Amino acid sequence: MSVAELLTLGVFALILLSVPIGFAIVAASAALLIWLDGPSLMVVPQRVFGGIDSFALLAIPFFLLTGNLMSAGGMTGRLLDFANSVLGRFRGGLAMSGIMASTLFAGISGSAVADTSALGRILIPAMKKAGYRADFAVASIAAANVVAPIIPPSIAFIVLGVLTNQSITQLFLAGLVPGALYGVAMLLLAWWIARRRNYPVSAVAEKGAVWRAFKASAFALLLPLFILFGIRTGVFNVTECSAVAVIYALLVGTLVHRELTLAKFIDALRQTARMTAVILIIVGAARVFSWILAYYNVPTEVAAFVSEHISHPLVFLLLINLILLVVGMFLEANAAIVMLVPVLFPIAASLGIDPLHFSVVMVLNLCIGLITPPVGLCLNIAAVIGRLSLERAALGVLPFLGMAFGVLLLITLFPSLVTFIPSLLGGR
């Protein structure tokens, strides 16, 4: 067996034994170095530390904290009220409102898991109470929040930008159109299913209700625009922007809405610390994985094999879609990015594939894995909130998975959907 096969099998064997992903990668890497009598084991802690020793990665805890503070400060409910005032009049309006709110909230937190937890606690019980089937309520909210790692600020794009030395600002801009397309696709599907199943219609909002809801949620709606404007104009870089966003969330939550108490603030810090630790342990551990692959020339061998058998960029992208969709079923997105980028990114570049296009295709692929059984973290969280078995949740999410695959295929076939905004605003 090759080094790559041994290392991958070791990681998956430990994951099946319920070892957390980050620790599974480190343990399998260390075991392989011992087995092959390779370099000193001191390489492992050195590479783990080197993997997280990046100024740009500081943006991750700040953006996560921003999302948690916004949620604790009452902005999640205000975004949902605004979405419901706009879409509640349509059949299935509550589900559509949830999808719209998820898309808006994605521009604040950058984390699909955090958004599913925050919005799911509000929306899934409300939808069940209103007469929606439990599997539809769980599936629609889980699928809607997949958009979070695509719309800026995206944690996945920050990690990928650090690994590939790409502009994180360019990656953020590249995610705008695909994220919007995904959100619209989910809205249309929810509306179509609601019509077929005759789900309830909310009362038409009274005159002026939309404007009042918009004003109430204005501070939350302005934050994503503030982030993009600040980064694009060079007022601050991505990391500085994330710190400013935390201050913004604190001021709005305490001085404007006055819902952010000391207890909620401490809880937001606790949640952020937990989520940051999980992400950074995975990033650091996966750096060991990628270093071992590079040490034993695995990327070079894979590149030679691909160049010998595949010469057309589209064929390569379609093949990568299939591979990443399978990988996304089992691996957390950030772990998969750190493990696979050193192998796949140079091959894509050698075939002339635009780096931004490849990056967005890769992230969207792995995000779809968040609602793909058996791991499907967002699907699992939503199922727990909805008190639904994973089997029933998996059946309910199938139409949404089909629509997600359609958006992925569209993005793969038409690179201009990704590169248009960066070319227009980013000076490419």
Side-chain angles (χ1 to χ4, degrees):
M1 297 179 71
S2 68
V3 170
E5 291 171 334
L6 285 171
L7 189 52
T8 303
L9 284 175
V11 171
F12 276 104
L14 290 171
I15 290 173
L16 290 174
L17 292 173
S18 299
V19 177
I21 293 175
F23 297 113
I25 295 171
V26 170
S29 301
L32 184 67
L33 290 177
I34 295 172
W35 176 266
L36 297 176
D37 196 21
S40 166
L41 286 181
M42 282 301 296
V43 166
V44 175
Q46 288 171 354
R47 294 295 162 179
V48 169
F49 181 79
I52 61 176
D53 185 21
S54 169
F55 179 71
L57 289 178
L58 282 173
I60 293 176
F62 283 129
F63 278 132
L64 289 174
L65 180 57
T66 300
N68 286 329
L69 290 175
M70 296 285 261
S71 182
M75 295 189 197
T76 304
R78 286 174 170 81
L79 284 175
L80 182 56
D81 289 342
F82 171 63
N84 199 43
S85 69
V86 175
L87 298 173
R89 68 195 70 187
F90 300 103
R91 189 162 299 281
L94 186 57
M96 296 170 69
S97 300
I99 293 170
M100 181 178 175
S102 298
T103 305
L104 295 174
F105 197 64
I108 297 172
S109 73
S111 169
V113 174
D115 291 2
T116 302
S117 179
L119 291 168
R121 291 172 188 168
I122 301 171
L123 285 162
I124 293 174
M127 289 172 67
K128 289 172 65 178
K129 186 177 180 180
Y132 291 81
R133 274 173 40 178
D135 59 344
F136 175 79
V138 165
S140 62
I141 297 306
N145 285 293
V146 167
V147 77
I150 307 167
I151 291 179
S154 162
I155 304 302
F157 281 150
I158 293 172
V159 173
L160 203 151
V162 170
L163 292 175
T164 59
N165 292 317
Q166 290 186 84
S167 165
I168 296 175
T169 303
Q170 292 280 324
L171 287 168
F172 279 4
L173 293 173
L176 288 173
V177 172
L181 280 176
Y182 183 93
V184 170
M186 293 299 120
L187 275 175
L188 292 174
L189 179 60
W191 172 79
W192 181 75
I193 293 175
R195 285 197 63 185
R196 291 197 62 183
R197 297 180 182 175
N198 199 32
Y199 284 143
V201 180
S202 300
V204 177
E206 62 184 37
K207 187 177 181 180
V210 175
W211 175 243
R212 287 195 298 273
F214 173 77
K215 287 195 296 182
S217 61
F219 284 99
L221 293 170
L222 282 174
L223 182 57
L225 299 176
F226 169 74
I227 290 171
L228 285 175
F229 178 80
I231 295 173
R232 175 63 189 89
T233 55
V235 175
F236 33 62
N237 60 34
V238 173
T239 306
E240 292 166 347
C241 173
S242 64
V244 172
V246 170
I247 297 172
Y248 179 94
L250 274 171
L251 293 175
V252 173
T254 54
L255 301 180
V256 179
H257 299 320
R258 299 184 179 182
E259 293 186 24
L260 184 60
T261 62
L262 179 61
K264 289 180 178 179
F265 176 69
I266 293 173
D267 186 57
L269 289 176
R270 187 181 298 113
Q271 292 181 46
T272 301
R274 188 181 300 115
M275 294 171 67
T276 302
V278 170
I279 293 172
L280 292 186
I281 286 172
I282 290 171
V283 170
R287 268 298 178 95
V288 181
F289 185 100
S290 59
W291 180 86
I292 291 176
L293 294 182
Y295 182 83
Y296 289 101
N297 295 317
V298 173
T300 305
E301 294 172 3
V302 173
F305 176 83
V306 171
S307 61
E308 182 180 345
H309 294 87
I310 300 175
S311 58
H312 198 286
L314 182 57
V315 175
F316 174 74
L317 283 174
L318 293 175
L319 176 62
I320 291 304
N321 278 342
L322 293 175
I323 294 172
L324 292 178
L325 286 171
V326 174
V327 170
M329 293 181 189
F330 301 97
L331 276 185
E332 195 270 340
N334 292 306
I337 287 170
V338 182
M339 292 166 64
L340 297 176
V341 158
V343 177
L344 299 179
F345 196 79
I347 300 173
S350 68
L351 291 173
I353 298 171
D354 188 285
L356 287 180
H357 182 221
F358 180 76
S359 299
V360 172
V361 168
M362 184 173 192
V363 170
L364 181 54
N365 261 292
L366 296 172
C367 288
I368 292 174
L370 292 169
I371 54 170
T372 308
V375 177
L377 192 54
C378 285
L379 186 63
N380 273 278
I381 290 172
V384 170
I385 294 172
R387 298 181 180 179
L388 190 70
S389 68
L390 183 58
E391 293 78 8
R392 286 188 60 195
L395 289 174
V397 86
L398 288 178
F400 293 93
L401 268 177
M403 187 63 81
F405 293 152
V407 173
L408 174 61
L409 183 60
L410 195 64
I411 297 301
T412 302
L413 295 176
F414 300 100
S416 58
L417 293 172
V418 173
T419 58
F420 172 71
I421 296 295
S423 299
L424 184 66
L425 300 178
R428 295 188 83 213

